[in-house]
Amino acid sequence: MNKSLMLPSGILAEEADYKDQIIDEYNNNPFIQALPIIRDKEEIVTILSQNLKISKKELELDEYVRIHMLQRIYKGVFQVLPIHIKVFNMIDTLMRQGYIDRNPFNPEYIRHINKLGNKLINKDFSMSVNSNFITTASCGLLIGFSGMGKTRIVNKVLEKIPQLIYHNSYSNTDFNAIQVTWIKLEAPHNSSLKALSLNFIMKIDELIGSRNMERYAVKNLSVDAMLPIMGQLANNINLGLLVIDELQHLNKNTSQIMNYFVALMNTFGVPILLIGTPACYDMLTGELRIARRVTGSGEIIWNNMQNDKEFRLFINGIWKNQYVRNKTKLDEEMINLFYEKTQGISDLVVKLFVNTQKVAIERNIETITKDLVEKVWAKEFKLLSPMIGSIQTKNKAKMFQYNDIKVIDGRVFDTKDNVKAFMGNKNGISGQKNIIGQDKKTKVTKSKIKIDSLDCEDIRRIVIEGIKEGKSNYQSLLDTGVITDIEIIFKEQII
């Protein structure tokens, strides 16, 4: 068992345990060799899975006790899905790859960070350094529906990696260092880069007991000055990965924000994982250079589950956790009912499952029935019905009202811009005319676009096929759910 060291913060750091690596470039590097071993798929499933053991004795408890015990399902159950393994491997790869050229025994790296440190001492906050250091750090991107469990899986993966490791010697050489393998921050709601930097410094102080906030917070430094300080502190603690959650909060000054992250990777070699809802996808794809950098380790797009094997795997995993006395078997009708109500959003599946049991226990029904699921959904999930309805009908215009559930299929699909380009005038909404032909007399042959080469959801294909059927552009887009009649939206809002 590894020894522990109490840091000035009161937090324990684990003693480094160096392990031989299968991959050559991961050897001869104390920061990589101190990490847990690389795990295969079966091992990942084992360490991530969580299940409850509900005894017969617990089922005999009074209803008011079991209602409290239902809350265990939220934290005590975790069904591993294929996408969770992808997230695990992305985080593991980002961290290891980022350390390759940040080897403390690499002379080029030592010269590089010394030059950066000297610039800060001389109050030179520029980040141009004449060195041969080439970073191996990259950026990962995790974007998905709200309620799919992005934050939870990232937290679970990070929990499996010791956050604080201390080094005494390596290969019979004195080597004293603190290694912070990861830091996770939530993007500030006001899109402030300075607030993000200060949160980073504060987190370091909390972890290792340093007093950097006293040194830098009172100086009212600019963002340009904060960035190199943040980068140098990251190198001082040998940071393995910076995780930024709720990225959609940084929706202002996108170019400056992305340049900020790129600088952290390029100049200081810090790998980054960005997590957000579909609301932030367009801001990342605004510039090719930025898009290329933020997908250096790939992007994971996490839409709602389809009603297929994955959804069945998920609902089977949670279904056995029943606190009702008469357990219900999961059949095809129940699976389809849960999918119809939740549209494969994992958080809603669990909440509907828990709340249905709660009502069953309160009313002394003690069993989950389809009728009860219907009633619980209708009564306790009213606010979600419009959003679920937009997903169910694949109505893009309605889904666009809810940025957290915008479907991303890997293409840059800016509904707002495309609708503006193809819509005609209707109910006071103006758009460009005659893109492909505004009236019924327009011949499809005017378009040079080959319809067979277009995706079935491509607006151009929808318009062309609509013209063939004698429809206006507006009607074609309306019929396929790309847009919604503004009068209907107003009526829904009034209701």
Side-chain angles (χ1 to χ4, degrees):
M1 187 173 179
N2 291 3
K3 296 179 183 177
S4 296
L5 175 69
M6 180 75 74
L7 299 179
S9 62
I11 300 176
L12 293 175
E14 289 189 15
E15 182 183 21
D17 177 22
Y18 305 116
K19 296 165 280 290
D20 290 334
Q21 305 292 306
I22 299 172
I23 301 173
D24 287 341
E25 56 264 38
Y26 289 171
N27 282 308
N28 303 314
N29 186 321
F31 296 145
I32 298 178
Q33 290 188 268
L35 297 175
I37 59 172
I38 299 176
R39 303 183 186 275
D40 61 28
K41 184 167 65 174
E42 288 73 21
E43 290 174 317
I44 294 172
V45 171
T46 300
I47 65 175
L48 290 181
S49 294
Q50 275 183 267
N51 292 293
L52 292 174
K53 292 182 179 179
I54 304 174
S55 66
K56 290 182 180 179
K57 200 171 184 179
E58 288 175 326
L59 295 179
E60 293 171 359
L61 294 170
D62 290 334
E63 69 278 359
Y64 66 88
V65 179
R66 283 182 290 135
I67 285 171
H68 281 270
M69 296 174 77
L70 278 170
Q71 302 305 308
R72 293 177 177 176
I73 295 174
Y74 291 120
K75 289 187 176 181
V77 177
F78 190 85
Q79 175 59 52
V80 181
L81 300 174
I83 197 164
H84 297 144
I85 297 173
K86 288 183 180 179
V87 174
F88 190 104
N89 286 328
M90 174 185 276
I91 291 174
D92 195 36
T93 303
L94 278 169
M95 191 176 294
R96 293 177 196 275
Q97 287 291 317
Y99 275 131
I100 288 177
D101 276 351
R102 293 169 64 210
N103 189 326
F105 295 99
N106 177 359
E108 202 59 58
Y109 173 62
I110 298 300
R111 280 192 289 269
H112 177 74
I113 60 175
N114 285 341
K115 286 181 179 179
L116 289 170
N118 288 333
K119 287 171 74 73
L120 284 179
I121 291 171
N122 296 321
K123 296 184 179 181
D124 180 355
F125 299 116
S126 65
M127 290 182 293
S128 56
V129 179
N130 183 20
S131 72
N132 295 321
F133 173 71
I134 300 175
T135 180
T136 51
S138 60
C139 181
L141 184 62
L142 175 58
I143 290 185
F145 271 38
S146 180
M148 291 307 295
K150 301 181 299 298
T151 299
R152 188 180 183 194
I153 179 57
V154 169
N155 287 343
K156 283 184 72 66
V157 175
L158 294 177
E159 286 169 5
K160 305 303 176 184
I161 306 169
Q163 189 175 18
L164 294 168
I165 300 173
Y166 74 94
H167 302 257
N168 281 326
S169 64
Y170 179 76
S171 294
N172 299 318
T173 303
D174 287 340
F175 173 58
N176 295 301
I178 282 289
Q179 177 183 359
V180 179
T181 57
W182 56 268
I183 285 179
K184 183 170 177 284
L185 302 175
E186 186 171 307
H189 287 269
N190 61 359
S191 296
S192 168
L193 284 175
K194 188 166 185 179
L196 182 66
S197 300
L198 291 174
N199 287 342
F200 177 80
I201 295 172
M202 190 183 305
K203 178 62 69 173
I204 292 176
D205 287 351
E206 289 175 3
L207 287 172
I208 66 174
S210 53
R211 303 174 69 176
N212 292 301
M213 281 294 287
E214 292 180 17
R215 294 179 61 191
Y216 301 117
V218 297
K219 294 183 179 180
N220 197 27
L221 297 170
S222 67
V223 171
D224 289 340
M226 293 296 292
L227 177 56
I229 291 170
M230 183 175 172
Q232 192 65 21
L233 289 175
N235 280 325
N236 290 345
I237 61 171
N238 304 296
L239 180 61
L241 179 67
L242 176 61
V243 180
I244 307 293
D245 201 357
E246 304 295 350
L247 183 65
Q248 66 275 7
H249 294 165
L250 299 176
N251 57 0
K252 300 174 184 176
N253 303 318
T254 303
S255 183
Q256 183 187 17
I257 289 165
M258 291 303 108
N259 285 332
Y260 188 85
F261 291 140
V262 170
L264 277 175
M265 288 185 289
N266 284 348
T267 305
F268 300 100
V270 180
I272 298 174
L273 174 62
L274 304 175
I275 310 169
T277 67
C280 66
Y281 194 73
D282 288 339
M283 82 185 217
L284 294 174
T285 54
E287 294 184 35
L288 176 61
R289 178 180 58 85
I290 291 172
R292 180 177 61 82
R293 290 299 297 171
V294 299
T295 55
S297 278
E299 60 181 13
I300 296 177
I301 304 299
W302 199 344
N303 296 319
N304 59 317
M305 288 180 278
Q306 299 301 304
N307 193 1
D308 54 18
K309 290 181 180 178
E310 184 181 22
F311 182 71
R312 280 156 176 73
L313 174 63
F314 179 77
I315 196 167
N316 269 288
I318 67 164
W319 198 258
K320 50 194 169 189
N321 301 287
Q322 295 184 44
Y323 282 92
V324 290
R325 287 173 179 157
N326 304 315
K327 293 190 177 182
T328 305
K329 287 186 178 180
L330 185 63
D331 58 23
E332 195 67 19
E333 286 185 23
M334 187 68 81
I335 291 173
N336 291 331
L337 177 60
F338 262 78
Y339 189 82
E340 175 195 339
K341 300 304 179 188
T342 65
Q343 288 300 296
I345 297 176
S346 53
D347 182 59
L348 297 185
V349 176
V350 176
K351 284 179 177 174
L352 181 57
F353 177 64
V354 170
N355 279 278
T356 302
Q357 288 193 70
K358 177 174 173 287
V359 174
I361 293 171
E362 287 174 339
R363 297 182 182 179
N364 200 29
I365 299 171
E366 293 293 349
T367 188
I368 301 172
T369 66
K370 298 175 184 67
D371 183 58
L372 187 60
V373 172
E374 292 274 10
K375 288 178 179 177
V376 170
W377 178 263
K379 183 178 180 181
E380 301 191 26
F381 294 83
K382 286 180 183 177
L383 291 175
L384 294 169
S385 293
M387 288 171 261
I388 296 301
S390 68
I391 300 172
Q392 192 172 22
T393 59
K394 297 182 179 179
N395 189 316
K396 292 184 177 65
K398 286 188 177 181
M399 289 177 72
F400 193 77
Q401 299 175 57
Y402 314 108
N403 283 333
D404 287 354
I405 58 169
K406 181 180 175 184
V407 174
I408 298 172
D409 59 5
R411 297 172 299 159
V412 182
F413 186 77
D414 190 339
T415 309
K416 196 162 48 177
D417 292 341
N418 284 328
V419 169
K420 191 183 291 183
F422 285 95
M423 279 177 60
N425 292 324
K426 177 72 174 178
N427 294 327
I429 303 176
S430 62
Q432 297 178 16
K433 297 181 180 180
N434 298 322
I435 300 297
I436 297 177
Q438 186 63 30
D439 52 54
K440 297 179 183 179
K441 295 179 182 179
T442 305
K443 294 181 180 180
V444 181
T445 53
K446 282 186 179 181
S447 172
K448 295 181 180 180
I449 300 170
K450 292 182 179 180
I451 190 170
D452 292 337
S453 66
L454 301 176
D455 188 274
C456 61
E457 294 184 352
D458 193 300
I459 289 181
R460 294 168 295 177
R461 180 167 187 157
I462 293 170
V463 170
I464 293 170
E465 289 180 342
I467 292 170
K468 287 181 179 179
E469 297 173 11
K471 296 180 181 179
S472 67
N473 293 350
Y474 175 82
Q475 192 62 46
S476 297
L477 298 175
L478 191 66
D479 290 346
T480 51
V482 175
I483 62 172
T484 298
D485 193 314
I486 197 168
E487 292 179 1
I488 295 175
I489 295 176
F490 285 152
K491 286 178 182 177
E492 288 178 350
Q493 290 177 342
I494 292 170
I495 292 171

